[in-house]
Every structure is written in structure tokens, then in C-alpha cells.
Amino acid sequence: MKRGWPGDKRATVNSPANITDPLVLFMPSGKRGRFPVGTPVLDAARQLGVYVESVCGGRATCGRCQIEVQEGNFAKHKIVSSNDHISPKGAKEERYERVRGLPERRRLSCSAQILGDLVVDVPQDTVINAQTIRKDADTRVIARDSAIHMCYVEIEEPDMHNPSGDLDRLKIALMKDWGLKSLDFDFHLLPQVQGILRKGNWTATAAIHKDAESETPRVISLWPGLKNEAYGLACDIGSTTIAMHLVSLLSGRVAASSGTSNPQIRFGEDLMSRVSYVMMNPDGREGMTVAVREAISGLVDKVCAEGNVQRNDILDSVFVGNPIMHHLFLGIDPTELGGAPFALAVSGAVHIKASDIGLKLNQGARLYMLPCIAGHVGADAAAVTLSEGPHRQDEMMLIVDVGTNAEIVLGNRHRVVAASSPTGPAFEGAEISGGQRAAPGAIERVRIDPDTLEPKYRVIGSELWSDEPGFLDSVQATGVTGICGSGIIEVVAEMYLAGIISEDGVIDGSLGARSPRVVANGRTFSYVLKEGEPKITITQTDIRAIQLAKAALYAGTKLLMEKQHTEHVDRIHFAGAFGSFIDPKYAMVLGLIPDCDLDKVSAVGNAAGAGARMALLNRGYRREIEETVSRIEKIETALEPKFQEHFVYAMALPNKVDPFPKLSAAVKLPPRKTVSEDGVAGDAAPRRRSREGHAARRGRE
């Protein structure tokens, strides 16, 4: 991808080089190439695609292009590098060092010229020179090529012999120094141009916006003199929480991060209840739109305060969210998403000014929303896909974003399919007798002794298990208030592993003779996880709610696997805040996900936010995900006749018909037994159909 797009005067990457030309190696990227004597180091870096920032256009005034020459004989690379192989400091570089200061051994790559073989280090230890940002949980480098570029220019002063307007002479300077032959200007700048140029003593920094290559570059903001900062927002609007990152567009660093609860929760816990609210209340849509925009504006204040940044310095923003959050944020009525055919008002990427939706940033700031994949697979799923990249690899990758409406993506570089599955709010603590949202005091980890059936647990806010000394003191401030989603998954899985519930999810009432933890509850039985006040029990109804939720997710995954003609997946990624706290082993024991090597199952955190940052920092990623989404095949689970069959089988733990050999090798699963609905244990029931038998039967048909 072409970098430094304004006025890129370098030769093409594939231009021929003389074998006698000096060899230059850039570290830590390891990129190398030969360049004629006299080539500025900055030009060599750009030709090789090594990102070295330069705002001032090579005038040695911004100081962002610092590099270091490594001296010595680098036998591995067959390079002898020396400071004698780079030009001495010139007048501009000496002036910068005298006025601004330059660390020892540092040079400005825009002024320093190549005289011989060099090993050049692009420093990673300062904000100015931070070349990469790293996605949480991996070490991928996110190359920067944002839609915003800062261009410093010196403008010819007006005189009687040159009657050109100030704006026209600004255009001439941008064309001369940055190669911008055609330019548009935001209208709000026209009344400000003369004052800005005079305040800057005929120097100025222009913020140029250019998203797609086919677009005409546009000046969206202008400052007197040298402006050395520009920021952007990456925001994931979730149905429960909103997460925001403030990112430097010049260095790529995350200056600040913050999050808040989505205030739309007061209109409904889950997405469909919010759609219903819109249907039943004339002002419902407007109320929810105002609520989410106000919450986002509050987050902007928070990240600006934390990062010591002015709103006026924010020039670009990227937002993602599920389709209903996407529509409500944009002020679009989501009613059509409440029923078949689940029609989106807007499915493609959205390009607008931030001010169009009342978001107060820089007056010229832009806003980009990733495309939605389908009616219930949104821009957040697209961002997760961009971040995790199933379309870039050979392995069959399953991505699951667990929520009230789970979004599922499955594929590799050959084909990607996607679907949503209505899991409901059980995993978030709703519909569970002792359930609650993740907060201090909530049980998040559970273990049950298979011999005594005694539990131990950990709660959010304490590092101690409940059977360890000091536990009660550690939770004195919060108490033990309930059980959150990760704890619910673990307690049900542990109850199965301990034999308390059968594979069909029925609590074995006969175990009441062994342990006082198993108690009668009307016609069914419950398991007492915590005595005292509040008393936390896992009821038969709780287990059914979890079974229904996990069966819906597994059935959706199974449909996608059939569409991909595969019997297994190579890798599973849990996305989203909830996914970060799910233990892969217990998720598989529960049958939430298909069989897979446990070391290939991982949580990837807020991958939607990571995808938003990628799209913010590199416009090439915007084109990538737009093209990828156009190729993703959308599967509507409600229309698939086999969904119900898969759903019924998936009600069992881990599944009624699908074998889990990799899980069985890692975890000792209990002997299979059946328990009647009134809690009476019986003989083990054989599997109705093994995978092999099912395949053979289909072959005979």
C-alpha cells in the first residue's frame, strides 16, 4: 500500500537499483533495499514501506522522523554500518537540535542522506517514534495509513503584483510541497483562511482527509504554524456497554480508553425489547438515539481529560455496533429489524461528518461506520472479522461473540459464512435465580468436589477462593451478591462433571442422601452454591435457561459448519467482554462450542474495538473489510429447516449426538446417565446416533 500519500515524491518500490548503490536495512522491521548516494533516509523508508512520520514535509521542524544509525559489522546481513555512511548535520537539523533538542545519536531522517551501507533503527521508545500499535493478545503490527494527513506549508505572502487570493496561494503551496494537485475545502474554513495565515506568519498546517484513492483530497481543518498532533476515536457501541479509545493518528498510540454502560438498558435489557419499545412508543427511537449519543459524548470528555487532548484535535472517528445499535446511533428506526426479513436500512459503510449526528469534535471531523454483514450480524461482527482475519488464513476459524444475540463467523481464506443466534440474556445473568451482571461481589469462578459435592468459588474483587483463609475479610466490602455469566457457565459444567446433573441437564435428586447441597424444590431439585444471606442456589429452571441459550448458539454454529462442509474447526476465538472471562474448558464441557483442541480456543477481548482501531489507523483496512463483507455468505437460522434438529441435540451436555474426542482426552467426562424430570436417576441411555452412524445412514439414503 502506498504510504505518505500527500505529495509522495519517491520512486516506486519496484524501481531498479544499481548493485553498487548503498544497502540500507531498517530495524526492527528488517526491510532492506539499495538506494543511490544522496537519497534522504526518509525517502528510503517510504519506498520500502517503513513507516516514519513526517508532518513538516521534510523541513526539519516537526522532529517526528527521528532515526538512529547502528554502527558495526553486521555479518548476518552482510552490512558494515557507520555514522560516516550518513551525511553530517546540515543547517536545518542543527537549528532543530539547538531549538528543540535532539537525543544523542538521533538524526532527522528527512535531512540525513545516505552515503554508504547503513543499518537504521526506527526508535520505539518515545511517543513521537512509536511505529506500531499492537492488538491486545497478539503481536500483529498495524501499519498506519490513516484517512487524515497533516501537511505543514509556507505560503507566499500577497503583494500588488500577485493578486491571487489567500486560499489559492495556500492551494499552490500544498501542491508544491505535498503534490496535492486537486483539493477541496470544507466550507466552514473559507471565512477563517486569512486570519489563520496571518496568525501563523504565512505558515500553516492543513489536515487533509482522503479515505478512498478515488476521492479528491479535502482540507477539513487548518491551523496557524506547525500543528504536531491529530487524534481519532475508535468506539464499539455494545448493547450493554460502550467502549471508546482515543488514538493518536500520527503515532498510533492509544492515548486514553474508557467505557460506560449503555443507557439504553433502561428501555430494555435485550435488543428485541428495545425494538419493541420503539414500536410501542412514538418517541422511543428518538429517546434511545439521544441517550446513546449523550453517553458517547460523555466518553469523549473522559478520554480527552485522561489523554490531555482537546476535542478540536479529534479529526476522525470509527464506530461499530450490532445492527440495532448501528441504526439507533445513526437515528434510524430499527423496527424492520424486529421481524423477517430483518431488513437493514443501511448495510454498507457509512461516511459522514461527525457534526451530522451532533458529535462535537473538530468542526471538520469525519465519522466512518463499518458495513453490517446481515440483519442481525452487524458492524461489530465485521470489525471482529477484520481484527481476527479468518479470511486471511487457511485454518477453519470460528469466531463467537456471546451476547443476548450471539454473532457467529466461520471460515478461512476460501469462504466465510456468518449467522446470528438468539441466545437470550441468560449468559448475562438475567433469567437466572441468583444471576447478576459482572460486578464486585458476583461469583465468577466455581469448582465442585466430585466426591463430597462441596463447592468453592471466587468472586469479582477478590483473588481468594471461598475455602481459603481471609476470604470473608476480602469480600467484606462487597459481600457475595450473586453469580455472573462466567460463573453460571462454570457451575453448570461443574455440576455435570460431578454427576449432579445428567447429560440432559436434570438434577439427580437421589444425591440429596449424599449431600445437603442437593435439595428438593417442589417437583424438582436445586443445588445450593452458597448458604447464608443471600442464599444462592442453582435451580432446575436455571439449568434449562442455560441449556436453551447454549443450544441456540451451538445449533447456529452447526449450521455454519454444514454450510462449510466441515466436521471440525481448527481454532475458536471468543470475542467481546464476556468472552474474555469464559474458560474454554467449561465452555466446551457445556457444549457451548464444538470440539476443538483446548489450546486452540482463546479469548480475544474486545476484538470489535481492535477492528475499529485498525480501520481508524489504516484506510486500507476499510477497503479490506468492505470487500470481505460483500463476499461473506449470510445464513438466516430462522429459515434453516435443520436448526431445530441441531437445537434439540445441543440441549444435552455437551451434545446428544456429536462426539467430543479432543475434550474427552483433556477432561474426564462423567459416566452417561439419565435422570427423569422428577430427579430419579436411571440407566445410561445410548447415543441415538453417532456421527459415523449418522453419516452412514445419510449415505444409505
Side-chain angles (χ1 to χ4, degrees):
M1 178 177 294
K2 190 178 179 183
R3 304 176 195 276
W5 45 265
D8 198 351
K9 301 168 187 170
R10 59 180 169 80
T12 60
V13 172
N14 295 321
S15 59
N18 192 311
I19 193 65
T20 60
D21 289 340
L23 179 62
V24 181
L25 171 68
F26 285 91
M27 300 298 288
S29 68
K31 294 182 178 179
R32 63 169 63 201
R34 293 189 178 275
F35 302 91
V37 170
T39 301
V41 175
L42 178 61
D43 287 359
R46 284 179 168 172
Q47 181 168 331
L48 292 174
V50 176
Y51 195 93
V52 178
E53 185 64 59
S54 176
V55 170
C56 65
R59 289 185 176 81
T61 58
C62 72
R64 288 192 170 274
C65 64
Q66 296 178 26
I67 52 94
E68 289 182 9
V69 172
Q70 302 298 311
E71 292 194 280
N73 185 349
F74 297 83
K76 176 182 176 181
H77 304 292
K78 299 180 181 179
I79 295 176
V80 176
S81 177
S82 167
N83 273 311
D84 295 335
H85 296 174
I86 197 168
S87 63
K89 293 176 182 176
K92 291 183 178 179
E93 201 169 359
E94 288 179 342
R95 181 189 64 197
Y96 179 88
E97 184 174 26
R98 185 173 60 255
V99 175
R100 303 278 295 278
L102 197 60
E104 187 179 359
R105 298 179 59 202
R106 294 282 175 89
R107 297 294 304 273
L108 298 183
S109 63
C110 63
S111 296
Q113 298 178 348
I114 298 167
L115 302 182
D117 292 350
L118 287 171
V119 174
V120 176
D121 184 47
V122 182
Q124 305 291 298
D125 60 340
T126 66
V127 170
I128 286 180
N129 297 100
Q131 183 178 343
T132 66
I133 65 170
R134 298 189 184 278
K135 179 191 162 300
D136 295 341
D138 67 32
T139 57
R140 275 180 297 172
V141 173
I142 301 177
R144 297 192 308 281
D145 182 24
S146 79
I148 302 293
H149 204 96
M150 304 292 279
C151 298
Y152 172 81
V153 289
E154 298 172 356
I155 301 98
E156 183 180 344
E157 296 185 39
D159 59 43
M160 297 296 291
H161 303 288
N162 182 3
S164 298
D166 289 352
L167 183 68
D168 292 319
R169 283 178 292 102
L170 174 59
K171 287 182 177 180
I172 290 171
L174 287 167
M175 179 181 69
K176 178 182 176 182
D177 291 351
W178 295 93
L180 297 166
K181 297 181 180 178
S182 105
L183 269 178
D184 288 333
F185 277 73
D186 272 7
F187 177 75
H188 75 271
L189 291 175
L190 300 188
Q192 304 175 31
V193 169
Q194 290 191 311
I196 290 172
L197 297 188
R198 284 158 179 78
K199 185 177 180 180
N201 195 24
W202 304 104
T203 66
T205 302
I208 313 293
H209 177 269
K210 182 181 179 183
D211 189 340
E213 287 294 338
S214 59
E215 288 182 10
T216 300
R218 175 176 287 271
V219 179
I220 64 170
S221 196
L222 191 68
W223 292 268
L226 176 65
K227 178 69 174 177
N228 226 4
E229 288 295 345
Y231 290 89
L233 299 174
C235 186
D236 174 21
I237 308 173
S239 57
T240 304
T241 58
I242 305 172
M244 178 179 289
H245 305 286
L246 176 67
V247 184
S248 169
L249 298 176
L250 301 185
S251 71
R253 73 182 179 99
V254 177
S257 298
S258 190
T260 187
S261 296
N262 189 328
Q264 293 176 345
I265 288 175
R266 67 177 181 262
F267 300 100
E269 282 277 338
D270 58 75
L271 296 174
M272 285 301 100
S273 63
R274 295 180 203 178
V275 174
S276 297
Y277 184 87
V278 173
M279 293 176 177
M280 298 172 64
N281 295 272
D283 300 326
R285 196 282 305 156
E286 182 179 358
M288 279 193 274
T289 295
V290 169
V292 73
R293 289 181 182 176
E294 286 180 348
I296 287 169
S297 182
L299 281 180
V300 175
D301 287 336
K302 287 183 181 179
V303 295
C304 283
E306 182 183 333
N308 194 25
V309 170
Q310 300 297 316
R311 277 182 179 248
N312 192 55
D313 291 337
I314 302 175
L315 300 172
D316 202 6
S317 58
V318 174
F319 286 81
V320 301
N322 62 60
I324 292 172
M325 294 300 98
H326 172 282
H327 278 33
L328 288 171
F329 175 61
L330 293 176
I332 299 171
D333 189 327
T335 300
E336 293 297 329
L337 294 170
F342 311 107
L344 288 156
V346 179
S347 58
V350 175
H351 306 255
I352 58 175
K353 293 181 70 172
S355 60
D356 290 341
I357 61 167
L359 187 57
K360 294 180 180 179
L361 309 174
N362 183 286
Q363 194 172 352
R366 265 40 185 185
L367 187 151
Y368 174 83
M369 288 198 81
L370 272 67
C372 290
I373 296 175
H376 284 291
V377 188
D380 53 348
V384 172
T385 301
L386 176 62
S387 170
E388 301 312 303
H391 56 289
R392 304 186 198 109
Q393 60 177 27
D394 293 320
E395 283 188 317
M396 186 62 69
M397 178 189 288
L398 172 66
I399 303 173
V400 180
D401 191 342
V402 183
T404 57
N405 194 71
E407 294 172 314
I408 316 166
V409 178
L410 176 68
N412 54 24
R413 70 175 70 254
H414 304 294
R415 186 187 183 204
V416 180
V417 294
S420 65
S421 204
T423 53
F427 290 133
E428 295 182 351
E431 300 180 354
I432 303 298
S433 57
Q436 68 166 84
R437 294 194 182 281
I443 294 174
E444 63 172 344
R445 294 282 179 259
V446 178
R447 300 292 182 268
I448 298 176
D449 187 305
D451 296 322
T452 65
L453 306 186
E454 281 297 300
K456 63 179 180 177
Y457 50 82
R458 275 175 47 184
V459 302
I460 298 174
S462 173
E463 295 298 317
L464 300 176
W465 287 90
S466 59
D467 62 345
E468 292 182 309
F471 171 77
L472 292 178
D473 291 337
S474 71
V475 299
Q476 188 172 7
T478 61
V480 181
T481 54
I483 184 166
C484 67
S486 60
I488 293 166
I489 287 176
E490 291 197 7
V491 72
V492 176
E494 279 281 316
M495 288 172 71
Y496 171 63
L497 292 176
I500 298 172
I501 60 176
S502 68
E503 69 167 17
D504 292 321
V506 180
I507 298 175
D508 185 352
S510 66
L511 294 177
R514 279 178 51 194
S515 170
R517 296 281 177 177
V518 179
V519 297
N521 184 7
R523 296 183 59 187
T524 61
F525 291 84
S526 298
Y527 176 78
V528 180
L529 179 60
K530 173 192 171 292
E531 295 280 9
E533 185 61 36
K535 186 176 184 179
I536 300 173
T537 61
I538 307 302
T539 69
Q540 188 65 66
T541 302
D542 294 338
I543 294 172
R544 281 286 178 262
I546 294 300
Q547 286 180 281
L548 290 169
K550 74 98 174 180
L553 178 54
Y554 190 92
T557 301
K558 188 71 173 178
L559 281 177
L560 296 189
M561 292 173 67
E562 289 184 347
K563 297 295 181 182
Q564 289 280 26
H565 306 292
T566 184
E567 294 286 328
H568 71 280
V569 296
D570 299 310
R571 189 174 296 276
I572 300 174
H573 286 183
F574 279 114
F578 179 44
S580 300
F581 298 99
I582 296 176
D583 186 310
K585 179 181 79 172
Y586 290 108
M588 201 174 295
V589 169
L590 194 67
L592 189 70
I593 51 176
D595 193 49
C596 183
D597 287 330
L598 285 173
D599 60 359
K600 297 286 186 72
V601 184
S602 60
V604 293
N606 184 15
R613 292 202 307 275
M614 292 169 69
L616 177 68
L617 287 169
N618 193 318
R619 59 203 176 115
Y621 285 126
R622 303 183 184 189
R623 307 292 87 77
E624 177 184 333
I625 195 57
E626 289 165 6
E627 192 273 335
T628 300
V629 166
S630 71
R631 293 188 290 108
I632 292 177
E633 298 175 44
K634 299 83 178 176
I635 309 302
E636 181 50 64
T637 56
L639 301 179
E640 293 291 331
K642 292 201 68 176
F643 180 84
Q644 188 63 29
E645 178 183 340
H646 293 315
F647 180 87
V648 171
Y649 292 152
M651 284 289 288
L653 279 71
N655 193 280
K656 183 65 73 174
V657 297
D658 288 349
F660 279 70
K662 293 176 180 177
L663 174 65
S664 299
V667 178
K668 183 180 179 181
L669 297 178
R672 303 182 70 235
K673 69 177 179 179
T674 60
V675 179
S676 64
E677 288 296 329
D678 58 2
V680 179
D683 295 332
R687 288 191 183 274
R688 278 182 271 176
R689 287 188 288 179
S690 68
R691 186 182 298 274
E692 293 78 6
H694 180 56
R697 186 176 288 101
R698 291 184 62 184
R700 289 195 299 271
E701 292 171 354

